[in-house]
Amino acid sequence: MERWLEAERDQLALWLPVMLGIGIAAWFLLPDAARWSAFLSACGGVALAGVTIARGGRASRVMLVAGCAMALGCALIWGRAERVAAPVLARPAVVAFSARVDRVEPMPARQIVRLRLGVIEPATAGLPPVVRVNVADKDMPPGVGRGAIVKLRARLMPPGAAAVPGAYDFQRVAWFGEIGATGRAFAPIMVVTPGDPPGSALRERLTRHIQQRVDGSAGGIAAALVTGDRGAISEADDEALRRSGLAHLLSVSGLHVTAVVGATMLLVLKLLALSPALALRWRLPMVAAGAAAGVAIFYTWLTGAEVPTVRSCIAALLVLGALAMGREAVTLRLVAAGATIVLLLWPEALMSASFQLSFAAVTAIVALHEHRVVRGWFLKREESRGASLLRGLASLLLTGLVVEFALMPIGLFHFHKAGLYGALANIVAIPLTTFVVMPLEALGLVLDAAGLGAPVWWLAERGLWVLLWIAHTTADAPGAVKALPSMPRAAFGLMVAGGIWAALWRTRWRWLGVLPLMLGAGWAVATPAPDLIVTGDGRHVAVRTGDGGMALLRDRAGEYVRGVLGETGGTDAELSALSDDPRARCSSDLCLVRLRAEGRVWTILATRSGYLVPIAEFVALCRAADIVISERRLPRTCTPRWLKLDRPMLARTGGVAITLAGGQVRTVAGNPSAHRWRLPETVQPPRSFNSGGAARRASPARAPDRGGSAVDHRRGSPDRAEPSPLRAGNI
């Protein structure tokens, strides 16, 4: 072991952020404080073993540092979760309250404005300190800017857990974002004290200016590249960018910061070199690096200082520092340093798809080009311009393929989808964005000071429409997206561990990482898709169809529900209506469907409305069914042969995914957890603040969207004036 570690001594520092990440991940995966304390004790044991075993050797130091780093990671995230602790709304409520506007996010594509509000006297109002509401554009009064004091009435919801197993967990994200409730505000909104005028901040003025120069989604992309504001991009274009593997272009991160820093260095260096006196007396690369560092920090602040941008800025500053010292700039040590800084400042970022995707991509690129064989292939040499161009294109294609391979497990785990043509699309889209669109936007902003930027903006708009054409063409290509059902966490962990092992070591032992990587991939692919998916409110049910798709119990389910159920079911096709399935018999109130699995027929009964049905007939149907699903509390006399998923049961389990072959049942609350967002301190407005009990009348059956807003589900069928009795012949 000592000989192996000596051969890998240059790589050992790369494992520091990995050890920090193991400690952070352990805290998220372990359920309660007793296990967290046990993990910290085990890490202390590893560190002490490093002190006592092989005293003075490299293995001793590795064990000591690894034990301390893992313990530090666990302690950091534990402390972070406690520091951000704040009360959460207990139940849905319609509330009138006063608040201070902390943030204004216009979202023109959805015709809403999102407000982050600090509640004034939250204890008196019975509300969390921070809430987030959506306001329709037409209901926004003048004077609502940052720092404004407003009075409003809103329907608020507690942050929702994942709707089904494997779905987006907004409850955890909201906890670390210190958001205690989300919802929708009603008109009128009274402005008590005006704040900064909307658009008065530099970022907002730039966003508005760019969107005035470029229309539609192209203007939204143009604004996203400069200020990070994506609110003007239509849902269709946003989905096309995601499916084509180009969505990373919209998140201001490494690509954008690199382009800004590189352009600044080149421009400053060329301008200063025009003066012989400066060129002889000053170290111009140092000056250019200093100017680029300043621009990188300004650009990070301008785009909202989101975590991906901050970590990209940190990496850029490390690169500039290495260049200033005459060291090799882009190495895995740089990536490790950036990851370590981010995890020390924001340990919860480890669980986000953004962190995992960005660092996986950068690590794959650097590890590939550090390999001596690959480096030899693409070294510059004396050759024709055509051969040099082909070599560069081959380098881009190989890099794109490796990045797609590295990102595919992460995309499948978080989004249950992976683009298959993303490498080809990025070969064109990345140079187009970096060397055409962004320079044109910068030039247009400069020329606009003299009123001469219109031609440049026209060219930039053409480039952005080409980018959107690439996105839609790639997304619509046959087989462009591969969908898989939710994979087990252990399978994802095996793939991550194998990938990291293979990327960070340099000796032949690195190939041991292929084993867990292949095992995890095989496990993920072999995981059967669920036959039945039930949301946590019991209102929405998806059933596997004969052609491998999914059919919905309620035809009028919204886009969010359709997307979540389709992703969890591992299908990218449009979800059909269960009433159209030949295996199902449906009335206005009930659906009965029979599925065949493992040589037997399973009978599933689900309610479709909020109306009462004759008890005797319903109890008889329950006894003949294997699974009964309802958003209501069912009578005790309803006794199915296997599972009864009514409101009380689903309140304990959350969303449910069932694979009939083998009888596998996965639930959102399958692993009881004592994390603070699962059992938060709750508050509830008193009746005087609750609009005369309006919250009691409001339906609790709601599901959070990806941004945390709520999707309304009304009980019953709005088309029916009175209940209709259940008849056996109807189903």
Side-chain angles (χ1 to χ4, degrees):
M1 180 177 289
E2 286 290 341
R3 287 194 297 271
W4 171 55
L5 292 175
E6 178 63 26
E8 296 277 14
R9 63 183 182 276
D10 292 336
Q11 306 300 112
L12 295 178
L14 306 179
W15 287 88
L16 179 60
V18 178
M19 296 299 109
L20 280 171
I22 290 174
I24 295 169
W27 185 85
F28 278 104
L29 295 174
L30 296 174
D32 52 41
R35 271 78 165 188
W36 305 334
S37 300
F39 179 81
L40 290 173
S41 299
C43 293
V46 172
L48 289 175
V51 174
T52 57
I53 299 173
R55 189 184 302 253
R58 194 175 296 276
S60 172
R61 295 194 295 274
V62 167
M63 293 177 67
L64 174 62
V65 174
C68 292
M70 290 188 293
L72 177 61
C74 184
L76 279 172
I77 187 60
W78 193 350
R80 169 76 172 157
E82 295 296 330
R83 286 197 306 276
V84 300
V88 173
L89 190 67
R91 298 182 303 278
V94 177
V95 189
F97 61 99
S98 299
R100 180 189 65 258
V101 178
D102 293 335
R103 188 172 183 178
V104 181
E105 298 179 68
M107 307 182 75
R110 296 175 56 185
Q111 297 182 341
I112 63 171
V113 177
R114 181 166 288 169
L115 302 178
R116 181 184 173 101
L117 304 174
V119 178
I120 297 174
E121 297 184 358
T124 304
L127 290 174
V130 178
V131 302
R132 196 178 72 185
V133 298
N134 293 338
V135 184
D137 284 343
K138 60 184 178 62
D139 297 333
M140 276 289 290
V144 178
R146 185 172 182 178
I149 305 297
V150 296
K151 287 185 177 180
L152 70 158
R153 183 169 168 268
R155 188 177 195 279
L156 299 178
M157 297 285 300
V164 293
Y168 179 73
D169 189 357
F170 179 67
Q171 193 175 45
R172 186 192 71 216
V173 175
W175 179 264
F176 287 103
E178 303 179 58
I179 298 172
T182 63
R184 185 180 73 252
F186 304 118
I189 298 175
M190 182 186 301
V191 180
V192 178
T193 304
D196 297 333
S200 61
L202 176 59
R203 183 189 183 203
E204 295 174 357
R205 291 204 307 271
L206 275 175
T207 298
R208 185 175 55 186
H209 177 84
I210 293 169
Q211 290 172 358
Q212 289 171 350
R213 294 296 183 271
V214 183
D215 295 329
S217 291
I221 298 174
L225 296 176
V226 176
T227 66
D229 191 326
R230 301 169 52 173
I233 303 173
S234 70
E235 182 60 32
D237 291 328
D238 198 32
E239 178 66 16
L241 288 163
R242 285 196 297 267
R243 290 170 60 88
S244 61
L246 302 180
H248 66 93
L249 298 174
L250 305 181
S251 175
V252 178
S253 54
L255 174 67
H256 310 78
V257 174
T258 300
V260 170
V261 167
T264 302
M265 280 199 69
L266 181 64
L267 183 62
V268 171
L269 196 60
K270 295 298 183 183
L271 289 176
L272 293 180
L274 295 175
S275 169
L278 293 179
L280 291 173
R281 295 176 183 174
W282 291 6
R283 290 186 59 190
L284 296 188
M286 288 279 291
V287 177
V295 171
I297 295 171
F298 172 76
Y299 184 55
T300 301
W301 168 81
L302 177 65
T303 54
E306 301 291 341
V307 173
T309 317
V310 171
R311 63 172 175 256
S312 300
C313 180
I314 291 171
L317 295 178
L318 292 173
V319 168
L320 293 171
L323 289 173
M325 292 186 292
R327 303 285 297 274
E328 187 177 358
V330 183
T331 65
L332 284 176
R333 286 178 175 251
L334 165 70
V335 180
T340 301
I341 294 172
V342 171
L343 292 178
L344 291 175
L345 296 176
W346 301 283
E348 71 275 11
L350 177 77
M351 305 302 289
S352 69
S354 172
F355 177 93
Q356 295 170 15
L357 289 168
S358 60
F359 275 102
V362 175
T363 301
I365 292 170
V366 177
L368 173 69
H369 287 272
E370 279 190 352
H371 195 281
R372 57 184 181 83
V373 176
V374 176
R375 181 179 292 184
W377 285 347
F378 298 116
L379 279 176
K380 290 185 178 181
R381 60 196 71 188
E382 293 293 333
E383 59 186 357
S384 66
R385 183 170 298 180
S388 178
L389 178 61
L390 288 175
R391 190 178 297 278
L393 289 175
S395 174
L396 279 175
L397 179 59
L398 177 62
T399 302
L401 290 173
V402 170
V403 169
E404 287 294 323
F405 179 76
L407 300 187
M408 189 172 292
I410 302 172
L412 289 172
F413 178 75
H414 288 282
F415 312 116
H416 316 297
K417 295 179 182 179
L420 301 181
Y421 306 142
L424 297 174
N426 277 286
I427 287 178
V428 180
I430 290 178
L432 175 66
T433 304
T434 307
F435 301 116
V436 178
V437 174
M438 291 185 69
L440 285 174
E441 286 194 54
L443 181 60
L445 290 172
V446 172
L447 293 179
D448 277 345
L452 303 174
V456 178
W457 285 112
W458 184 86
L459 291 173
E461 185 175 8
R462 301 285 81 74
L464 290 166
W465 284 121
V466 170
L467 179 65
L468 285 172
W469 177 82
I470 294 171
H472 281 280
T473 301
T474 305
D476 296 339
V481 175
K482 175 63 177 175
L484 282 180
S486 301
M487 71 174 69
R489 285 182 175 180
F492 179 62
L494 282 172
M495 287 189 282
V496 170
I500 291 175
W501 184 275
L504 299 191
W505 294 128
R506 284 293 172 264
T507 61
R508 66 180 183 275
W509 294 103
R510 68 188 304 178
W511 299 112
L512 287 177
V514 175
L515 179 61
L517 183 62
M518 299 306 295
L519 286 175
W523 189 355
V525 172
T527 300
D531 300 298
L532 183 66
I533 306 171
V534 184
T535 58
D537 56 17
R539 184 171 178 80
H540 296 285
V541 180
V543 178
R544 181 73 55 189
T545 60
D547 60 0
M550 302 295 288
L552 286 177
L553 175 68
R554 283 177 166 83
D555 305 348
R556 299 179 63 179
E559 289 301 318
Y560 169 76
V561 171
R562 290 177 176 274
V564 167
L565 294 177
E567 290 173 1
T568 305
T571 178
D572 193 47
E574 184 68 23
L575 274 63
S576 60
L578 184 59
S579 56
D580 296 335
D581 194 305
R583 302 169 302 171
R585 296 180 181 179
C586 296
S587 70
S588 299
D589 297 304
L590 297 173
C591 257
L592 188 72
V593 59
R594 291 183 171 90
L595 303 180
R596 181 173 295 276
E598 284 195 332
R600 61 160 292 187
V601 176
W602 298 76
T603 303
I604 300 163
L605 176 67
T607 63
R608 300 184 77 193
S609 76
Y611 293 98
L612 297 178
V613 295
I615 185 67
E617 295 184 34
F618 184 72
V619 168
L621 286 171
C622 282
R623 292 173 179 171
D626 296 289
I627 304 171
V628 177
I629 304 164
S630 178
E631 62 176 318
R632 296 176 281 164
R633 179 188 294 272
L634 297 178
R636 293 183 180 179
T637 51
C638 176
T639 54
R641 289 193 290 256
W642 186 31
L643 283 177
K644 178 180 174 181
L645 299 174
D646 61 351
R647 177 181 288 182
M649 176 62 75
L650 290 170
R652 296 194 298 270
T653 64
V656 178
I658 301 172
T659 304
L660 296 177
Q664 180 184 5
V665 180
R666 293 190 300 122
T667 66
V668 170
N671 298 317
S673 166
H675 293 97
R676 293 294 301 273
W677 58 88
R678 300 294 182 214
L679 301 169
E681 176 189 351
T682 59
V683 293
Q684 191 67 20
R687 185 167 298 180
S688 59
F689 280 85
N690 202 9
S691 300
R696 296 197 307 274
R697 299 192 297 272
S699 167
R702 306 208 24 190
D705 67 10
R706 293 191 185 276
S709 64
V711 181
D712 191 19
H713 302 301
R714 292 174 290 180
R715 292 178 58 84
S717 171
D719 299 326
R720 298 175 56 190
E722 60 183 18
S724 63
L726 170 70
R727 299 298 180 198
N730 290 345
I731 61 170

